[in-house]
């Protein structure tokens, strides 16, 4: 029988949502995984290839620039962004995840912190030249999606960029997540409060969006 890597996240998310707690299941999942009792379905040993391909295509150089990685989990994307030269901050709502990533990368230059995307530090507003959001929003229920998206775009500094990777969902399609992939209109909603769309790609082979946004230098 094939292993269902989403089974543990689905079970814990359902329990949290039943208690009107849309994000509490993340810590429970990482804690159970640390005890060997669960699988974190997005755990991988390489950065997201869609992030890597984007950076290589754009010949991204992070020297002298700041980056924020949303929902960093075990840190592969954050380590890659730091390797590009960015002074990188990466956060997760799960203290267990942050403790684990610090153990995995004890000499890392990344600043790993515990923080909540639904209530991020005020100092992060307009603070980062690059913001990377890879499959975090789709792991959160639709009820909090607008808040999550708004807080992501508000972290982008004037002249900065936002890269979004997410699963594809058709408009009006109902799904029992996690994950809850994003519709085109949800991807488009990142382009607000001064952000504009640069490129939106739909890879139907991998069922992934990759979208790039930028904020004008004037804010």
């Amino acid at each position: 029988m094939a292993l269902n890597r989403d089974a543990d996240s689905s079970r814990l998310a359902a329990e949290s949502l039943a208690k009107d707690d849309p994000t509490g299941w993340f810590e429970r999942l990482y804690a159970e995984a640390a005890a060997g009792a669960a699988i974190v379905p997005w755990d991988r040993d390489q950065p997201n290839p869609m992030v890597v391909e984007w950076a290589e295509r754009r010949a991204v150089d992070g020297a002298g620039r700041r980056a924020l990685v949303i929902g960093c989990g075990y840190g592969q994307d954050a380590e890659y962004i730091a390797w590009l030269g960015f002074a990188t901050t990466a956060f997760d709502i799960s203290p267990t995840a942050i403790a684990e990533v610090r153990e995995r990368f004890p000499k890392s230059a990344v600043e790993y912190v515990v923080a909540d995307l639904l209530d991020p530090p005020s100092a992060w507003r307009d603070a980062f030249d690059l913001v990377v959001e890879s499959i975090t929003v789709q792991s959160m229920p639709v009820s909090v999606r607008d808040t999550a998206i708004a807080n992501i775009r508000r972290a982008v500094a004037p002249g900065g960029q936002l890269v979004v990777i997410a699963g594809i969902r058709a408009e009006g399609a109902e799904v029992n997540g996690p994950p809850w992939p994003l519709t085109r209109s949800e991807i488009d909603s990142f382009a607000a409060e001064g952000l504009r769309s640069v490129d939106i790609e739909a890879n139907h082979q991998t069922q992934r969006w990759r979208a790039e946004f930028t904020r004008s230098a004037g804010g």
Side-chain angles (χ1 to χ4, degrees), residues 114-166:
V114 177
D116 183 355
L117 178 56
L118 302 182
D119 186 22
S122 59
W124 288 358
R125 181 150 187 165
D126 302 328
F128 296 95
D129 303 293
L130 174 65
V131 175
V132 177
E133 152 49 10
S134 176
I135 72 169
T136 301
V137 171
Q138 75 170 39
S139 69
M140 306 175 77
V142 175
S143 61
V144 298
R145 185 151 296 176
D146 288 349
T147 299
I149 289 173
N151 287 335
I152 289 169
R153 65 172 172 255
R154 288 167 185 163
V156 182
Q161 297 165 291
L162 165 64
V163 176
V164 177
I165 310 295

Side-chain angles (χ1 to χ4, degrees), residues 28-42:
R28 292 184 62 198
L29 177 63
Y30 281 108
E32 288 194 13
I39 292 173
V40 176
W42 48 84

Side-chain angles (χ1 to χ4, degrees), residues 43-45 74-76 99-107:
D43 185 15
R44 58 185 187 271
D45 59 6
Y74 292 133
Q76 294 293 345
E100 175 72 18
V101 75
R102 288 171 178 165
E103 289 185 7
R104 292 190 182 195
F105 301 103
K107 298 181 179 179

